[in-house]
Amino acid sequence: MSSEGSSEFAHARPYKGLNANTAPESAAPRRLSLVFVRGIIWSLIGMIYAPLFIGLLSLARGAELGSVSYVLAAALAGGAGAILYGARELALISTGVGAVSGLGLLILAPAQASLTNTVVIAALLAAVVGVTLSFPRRCTRHVPGKLVAGVVTGAFVGAVLAIAEPWHAHAFSTFAALAFLTSANGILYAGSVRGWIQLSRRIGMESHPCELIEGVTMAILGAIAAGSVWMVVSPLLGLEAAGFWQLASLTMHDEIPSAFLGGLLGGGLAGMLLELFRFPWVHDV
């Protein structure tokens, strides 16, 4: 293992919060500005999480998975969101590769642009880029732990939603479900991610070559980006799809506005609470 793993979170910038010596009159405005910034950042994360969750939930329900749909969709969305938020350069580049390849396939070869083809092609292209290019090693090695943290916390909040809904008079609205999921998942993830990274290091998940981790990470994110593009664009292009793919896409379109609002509100609330209670920035690890 490379030298960055020799100490816990080597080279990570510790979260110091406000300086204890800061004058009271200047501390309050700075505190409020930090809360505001964290709220904005996590609102954006919630808006990315929302359509991903809705798309996955539509697919799971189309496959008739019943109450497991909430758990599966929240776990996958939580894991994908964790990688997207925590992988930095990998996330930006792989998302761009997936979105461009997915959109290109839909425009240039719509007859072959099924969801499966779109996802597989984007994943392969992103994996090639991940193996070819080099990224920060510490950030890359911590991705497996962040992925596990996102999947576990996502599955937990999804299970809470699945258990609670039958006891409710009506099915939860998309807005309420996303507001709960983004806020609860975000807080649980930020509070537990360091422990999951430590565990991933102990069991050897970080011992794999960085190129392999980068390739797999970028393949996952590229596939997610391409699949998201397909789910959003295919109904607009009037593409016909076999099975429940097209129905899931149309369902996602109907619920996107309320999902965005719920994700924005829940994410912003989570971000402000994380700052108020001085949780460390996830980018510090």
Side-chain angles (χ1 to χ4, degrees), residues 15 30-48 85 182-183 186-187 260-279 281:
Y15 180 74
R30 184 185 175 194
R31 187 80 178 133
L32 290 176
S33 67
L34 289 173
V35 171
F36 182 68
V37 169
R38 181 79 77 108
I40 292 177
I41 293 173
W42 280 69
S43 292
L44 296 176
I45 296 170
M47 292 179 67
I48 294 172
Y85 180 49
T182 51
S183 57
I187 292 173
F260 270 135
L261 289 175
L264 187 149
L265 177 64
L269 178 63
M272 289 187 289
L273 289 174
L274 289 169
E275 186 59 49
L276 284 171
F277 288 95
R278 303 193 181 186
F279 278 68
W281 285 99

Side-chain angles (χ1 to χ4, degrees), residues 96-198:
V97 170
V100 171
S101 62
L103 189 59
L105 186 61
L106 283 167
I107 295 174
L108 299 177
Q112 285 73 42
S114 66
L115 178 59
T116 302
N117 290 344
T118 303
V119 167
V120 170
I121 291 173
L124 291 175
L125 290 175
V128 170
V129 175
V131 172
T132 304
L133 300 182
S134 178
F135 297 91
R137 297 177 67 82
R138 178 180 63 81
C139 175
T140 299
R141 290 199 181 280
H142 288 172
V143 165
K146 294 177 180 179
L147 171 62
V148 173
V151 169
V152 172
T153 55
F156 177 78
V157 295
V160 171
L161 207 60
I163 294 171
E165 189 175 55
W167 297 91
H168 197 255
H170 305 284
F172 291 130
S173 67
T174 301
F175 172 82
L178 263 301
F180 167 75
L181 287 171
T182 51
S183 57
N185 196 1
I187 292 173
L188 290 174
Y189 172 75
S192 64
V193 64
R194 291 172 182 266
W196 288 109
I197 291 175
Q198 291 172 348

